[in-house]
Amino acid sequence: MSDIADKPRRSASRVKQAAWRGAALGAAFTLAALVPPAVANAGAADSGRPVASGSGSGEIAWTTADVAPGAQVRTGVLRNSGVAAVWTVTVQAPAVNRLTGVATWAPLGDRAWADSTAGRLREAGFEPRLEQVLWDEYADTPRGTMGWQVRVGRYATQDQAGTMNSAVSAAGFRTSVEWTGYDGRQAADAENIHVAVLDPARLHGTIAVSDGGNVADREKTSAVAARLGSLIGVNGGFFITSDSDGVQGTVAGLSAVHGRLESMAVGSRAALILGDGGRRPRIADLSTTVTVRAGAATYGVQGINRVPGKVRNCGRPGAAPTDQPRHDTTCTLADDLVKFTPAFRAPLPTGPGVQTVLDKHGIVVSTGGRGGVAPEHGSVLQGTGAAGNWLMDHAHVGKRLSLREVVRDSSGRQVRLGPDDSIVSAAPTLVEDGRIHIDAATEGTLDPQDLSFGFAWSNVRQPRTLAGIDGRGRLLLVTVDGRQPGVSEGFTLGEAARFMRSLGAVQALNLDGGGSSAMAVKGSLVNVTSDAAGERAVGDTIQVLPGRRSS
């Protein structure tokens, strides 16, 4: 999800039209589901005193459809009565990007900034209020106060808030118009949710990752599902959406299809492993190591099917400005060695460096300048900087190069991939060993030392796609619609974790979200996607296929 600031307002007619296609899916039943704490004392918030939290909760009336033996889809709306979200103006706090040192803005600041800003607003004739923001239930961040937001006004419409926003901005403040229903500090009005429950013991089919056979393009989840005759499909992992970050559609993280690595991990991040065609699903933090050998000489491969020198989401050794995972950030590598597989069906990247083409046996066919296309049977290595020099010294025509690819989980255990295994990765982990465990800082979706980074992605309600495994070994694939004020607002990461736990998940992770979140049932989109243009084309998907068909 790389569009957190883009929150299109969907027309009521389109929302009602699609919501609810799922209402025809079957008979209703109810399930209690947890939602995050609600803000309890508006007066305290106005005065700048700590906001007490309540125990807001809601119920879902589900409709259920048995799509096939072992494959069920539940559709419901989580409602909270008495919730009164409003449009408001939020003043931004000056900040500095911790990694680059570049001046930027944050949606919240410390108490001293909040008090000073509120004083300046009052002097300018406005009536500000201070709202305390607490750290959510993260496993690797501080507890207590994250910071303070300074806000002006409560309005029934976005246009009314926009008028006030213009006035506050004209007075010299950096501002934004926001819907308080996205905050996560009060219960949401409503959240439209789809849950696919897949029982590997009963399912006569295959659950696998599909990249459409071409890692270098984008396709809508529903289009892939229709083409493959899928029972159920959801969007998969993070991918590149801009030419400035690489080749659009290529996965920004670990991906394996039919047991073949098609992209490398960025650090150690959460992944869904679909072993034996989905019959043995599990979730783990995975990392990858790839090494090329020419005789006694070796060199580390840092990427598969990406532009050399550009590492989306960072997390590779030697990357700048960080070698740790950093979401929606493109790091650089001066000395980079990248492998291209036959699944990369776009023109190979060009530019400075060296390219080696290998046949299916690993024999060097040619070494020279970069460009052309990947062979249908074989592979390509592109090196820049020291990696290019290594290829020139060791990749001689007729010589054999061998590549060793290793996937490991956080315990050091090697994950061995067979032809019926696939992997989709994203971030962060939500539930681990039956307990909520959101390692958002470790997996790079927020930074406790930099409030300008990741706040909206992690702490604000967004459309999300989630995957989990319950105590019976069933795979749960979940979408929640978002960015639809008063209709469906989405989940924060904390809400996503609590919701998955309420479904009985003992393991869960966050997949790609935002405008990418989509679920298709028998080839038809069943949720309401958030982009104004409709369903978004994505990099890879998870598909539930009847029989033993491959993706």
Side-chain angles (χ1 to χ4, degrees), residues 143-166:
R143 292 290 184 263
T145 302
M146 174 187 283
W148 296 81
Q149 289 192 316
V150 178
R151 286 175 158 173
V152 178
R154 295 183 175 90
Y155 302 96
T157 70
Q158 187 177 10
D159 287 345
Q160 290 173 334
T163 300
M164 174 58 75
N165 183 66
S166 297

Side-chain angles (χ1 to χ4, degrees), residues 37 382 414 425 485:
Q382 288 193 350
Q414 185 171 347
S425 69

Side-chain angles (χ1 to χ4, degrees), residues 226-306:
R227 176 166 51 78
L228 297 178
S230 170
L231 299 173
I232 300 166
V234 299
N235 64 292
F238 305 128
F239 62 98
I240 291 173
T241 62
S242 170
D243 293 341
S244 63
D245 300 314
V247 176
Q248 290 197 33
T250 53
V251 174
L254 173 58
S255 174
V257 180
H258 297 310
R260 298 187 299 269
L261 275 186
E262 300 294 0
S263 184
M264 290 180 68
V266 287
S268 179
R269 269 185 153 189
L272 171 63
I273 307 163
L274 295 169
D276 190 20
R279 286 168 176 75
R280 294 184 292 108
R282 74 182 181 103
I283 292 170
D285 289 350
L286 299 182
S287 59
T288 51
T289 304
V290 178
T291 306
V292 60
R293 176 180 293 275
T298 62
Y299 203 95
V301 176
Q302 295 299 340
I304 297 177
N305 294 326
R306 64 163 173 79

Side-chain angles (χ1 to χ4, degrees), residues 153-454:
R154 295 183 175 90
Y155 302 96
T157 70
Q158 187 177 10
D159 287 345
Q160 290 173 334
T163 300
M164 174 58 75
N165 183 66
S166 297
V168 178
S169 177
F173 296 89
R174 174 88 173 203
T175 58
S176 62
V177 174
E178 296 182 340
W179 173 251
T180 61
Y182 293 144
D183 287 348
R185 301 195 292 277
Q186 66 177 31
D189 301 82
E191 289 154 323
N192 300 335
I193 302 168
H194 288 78
V195 178
V197 183
L198 306 168
D199 187 350
R202 298 179 56 231
L203 180 67
H204 299 292
T206 300
I207 310 171
V209 176
S210 173
D211 56 19
N214 181 4
V215 301
D217 71 349
R218 299 169 59 178
E219 192 172 4
K220 295 178 181 178
T221 300
S222 62
V224 177
R227 176 166 51 78
L228 297 178
S230 170
L231 299 173
I232 300 166
V234 299
N235 64 292
F238 305 128
F239 62 98
I240 291 173
T241 62
S242 170
D243 293 341
S244 63
D245 300 314
V247 176
Q248 290 197 33
T250 53
V251 174
L254 173 58
S255 174
V257 180
H258 297 310
R260 298 187 299 269
L261 275 186
E262 300 294 0
S263 184
M264 290 180 68
V266 287
S268 179
R269 269 185 153 189
L272 171 63
I273 307 163
L274 295 169
D276 190 20
R279 286 168 176 75
R280 294 184 292 108
R282 74 182 181 103
I283 292 170
D285 289 350
L286 299 182
S287 59
T288 51
T289 304
V290 178
T291 306
V292 60
R293 176 180 293 275
T298 62
Y299 203 95
V301 176
Q302 295 299 340
I304 297 177
N305 294 326
R306 64 163 173 79
V307 175
K310 293 184 177 182
V311 188
R312 187 63 171 170
N313 293 336
C314 305
R316 296 305 308 174
T322 179
D323 61 1
Q324 299 301 305
R326 186 82 168 183
H327 195 61
D328 281 352
T329 302
T330 298
C331 283
T332 60
L333 268 173
D335 304 311
D336 198 9
L337 187 58
V338 176
K339 173 188 174 183
F340 293 88
T341 73
F344 188 90
R345 296 185 179 176
L348 292 168
T350 59
V354 177
Q355 174 173 295
T356 295
V357 179
L358 307 174
D359 68 12
K360 63 181 180 181
H361 302 294
I363 304 300
V364 176
V365 175
S366 65
T367 293
R370 293 167 55 196
V373 296
E376 184 176 354
H377 303 288
S379 60
V380 173
L381 295 173
Q382 288 193 350
T384 60
N389 295 337
W390 190 91
L391 288 177
M392 289 297 294
D393 291 341
H394 297 92
H396 303 305
V397 174
K399 188 169 185 177
R400 184 175 185 275
L401 302 185
S402 61
L403 282 93
R404 183 170 186 260
E405 301 177 347
V406 178
V407 181
R408 295 190 187 277
D409 63 23
S410 55
S411 70
R413 171 186 173 190
Q414 185 171 347
V415 179
R416 300 186 183 277
L417 298 176
D420 294 325
D421 301 334
S422 56
I423 299 175
V424 60
S425 69
T429 301
L430 300 174
V431 179
E432 184 175 88
D433 296 330
R435 297 183 178 183
I436 292 174
H437 182 87
I438 311 169
D439 56 351
T442 302
E443 296 200 41
T445 69
L446 57 76
D447 185 344
Q449 301 177 59
D450 184 355
L451 298 182
S452 71
F453 174 78

Side-chain angles (χ1 to χ4, degrees), residues 23-41:
L25 290 180
F29 69 97
T30 60
L31 173 112
L34 301 178
V35 299
V39 171
N41 189 333

